[in-house]
């Protein structure tokens, strides 16, 4: 099935560090979304982006819709242990396609 | 407002059997999408229903089918189960088709033996 390229695949960081991850595609999307999934649960929507160049924040999270419309970025500042989980990007035009996920581990 | 609910949460079936999974969207949401999540393939789109009509379909065999009722509740059915169908099946609802701000349920963990 079709998936977006998401990197890095995993990150192991210390509490308090900033985190950056990105998602790239060969296709143009009209919408970029970022989700977080905890073990045994469904993904939870973090941020939605609708315009090229758009920069949106949700607390310590900031996401950007790439100018080319083929990529998006998510930054987490001052990470805390509860940030642990798998982060997925999603790109949409007429359907939503997900990235491969970034596993984030935060050591207290 | 209650979130998306899925039943059952866990299911064990045998190869060749069929299974029906249920999803109740957030109140007022008319669009329901289904996804299959596996460690190897990630989140794969199955289909989307809006106002009882299938609007989009992913690349899954015909053994996977779904429907939506007038109250927006949705079911998906998998017939002639195969071992490879073992996965977490996620349902997501959104207010209207095309906005893509989807809200996911907790999923149904299907194990095929």
């Amino acid at each position: 099935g079709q998936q977006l390229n998401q990197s890095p695949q995993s990150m192991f960081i210390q509490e308090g560090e900033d985190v950056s991850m990105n998602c790239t595609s060969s296709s143009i999307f009209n919408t970029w979304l970022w989700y977080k999934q905890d073990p045994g649960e469904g993904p939870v929507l973090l941020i939605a982006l609708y315009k090229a160049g758009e920069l949106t924040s949700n607390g310590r999270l900031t996401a950007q819709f790439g100018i080319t419309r083929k990529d998006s970025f998510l930054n987490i500042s001052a990470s805390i242990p509860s940030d642990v989980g798998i982060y997925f990007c999603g790109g949409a035009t007429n359907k939503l396609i997900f990235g491969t996920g970034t596993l984030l581990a935060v050591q207290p | 407002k209650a979130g998306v609910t899925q039943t059952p949460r866990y299911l064990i079936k045998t190869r060749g059997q069929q299974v029906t999974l249920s999803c109740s969207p957030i109140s007022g949401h008319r669009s329901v999408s289904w996804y299959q999540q596996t460690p190897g393939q990630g989140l794969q789109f199955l289909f989307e229903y809006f106002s009882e009509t299938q609007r989009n379909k992913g690349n899954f065999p015909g053994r996977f089918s779904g429907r939506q009722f007038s109250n927006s509740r949705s079911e998906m059915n998998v017939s002639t189960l195969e071992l490879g169908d073992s996965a977490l099946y996620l349902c997501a609802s959104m207010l209207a088709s095309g906005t893509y701000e989807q809200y996911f349920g907790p999923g149904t963990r299907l194990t095929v033996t």
Side-chain angles (χ1 to χ4, degrees):
Chain A
Q2 189 178 3
Q3 285 183 303
L4 304 176
N5 298 315
Q6 195 170 339
S7 66
Q9 278 191 316
S10 59
M11 304 179 74
F12 299 88
I13 61 170
Q14 297 285 330
E15 183 178 1
E17 288 184 22
D18 296 343
V19 171
S20 292
M21 60 189 79
N22 68 78
C23 203
T24 60
S25 170
S26 57
S27 304
I28 289 174
F29 291 110
N30 295 328
T31 301
W32 281 98
L33 304 162
W34 284 93
Y35 286 85
K36 181 192 176 203
Q37 186 174 25
D38 292 328
E41 300 294 330
V44 173
L45 180 63
L46 299 173
I47 294 178
L49 302 157
Y50 295 102
K51 191 176 175 181
E54 180 182 355
L55 190 71
T56 297
S57 294
N58 178 5
R60 292 177 297 105
L61 278 61
T62 301
Q64 184 164 21
F65 193 137
I67 291 291
T68 66
R69 295 169 62 193
K70 293 183 178 181
D71 55 11
S72 182
F73 309 88
L74 177 70
N75 294 313
I76 304 174
S77 62
S79 58
I80 59 178
S82 62
D83 290 334
V84 165
I86 302 177
Y87 291 79
F88 290 98
C89 63
T93 43
N94 61 357
K95 64 180 180 182
L96 184 56
I97 299 169
F98 283 94
T100 46
T102 294
L103 171 65
L104 177 64
V106 180
Q107 184 164 358
Chain B
K1 195 183 268 191
V4 177
T5 58
Q6 291 186 246
T7 57
R9 289 294 307 275
Y10 303 92
L11 205 50
I12 300 175
K13 289 286 189 178
T14 305
R15 267 181 306 178
Q17 288 186 314
Q18 75 161 9
V19 67
T20 299
L21 311 181
S22 181
C23 171
S24 291
I26 292 171
S27 177
H29 284 196
R30 297 170 63 191
S31 172
V32 172
S33 295
W34 288 89
Y35 295 85
Q36 181 194 66
Q37 187 176 32
T38 59
Q41 296 296 315
L43 273 159
Q44 298 293 320
F45 171 73
L46 281 156
F47 26 67
E48 178 197 356
Y49 286 88
F50 179 77
S51 293
E52 301 177 68
T53 301
Q54 186 180 89
R55 290 185 62 94
N56 265 308
K57 190 177 189 306
N59 298 323
F60 278 81
R63 299 185 297 107
F64 292 81
S65 63
R67 59 178 176 168
Q68 187 180 33
F69 301 95
S70 58
N71 61 357
S72 294
R73 190 177 69 85
S74 177
E75 291 181 345
M76 69 162 278
N77 183 279
V78 188
S79 61
T80 320
L81 284 165
E82 300 176 359
L83 294 179
D85 296 333
S86 295
L88 180 67
Y89 289 88
L90 292 160
C91 162
S93 77
M94 58 187 177
L95 193 58
S97 183
T99 62
Y100 298 108
E101 288 191 26
Q102 296 188 353
Y103 296 86
F104 284 83
T108 293
R109 171 72 63 186
L110 172 65
T111 302
V112 182
T113 63

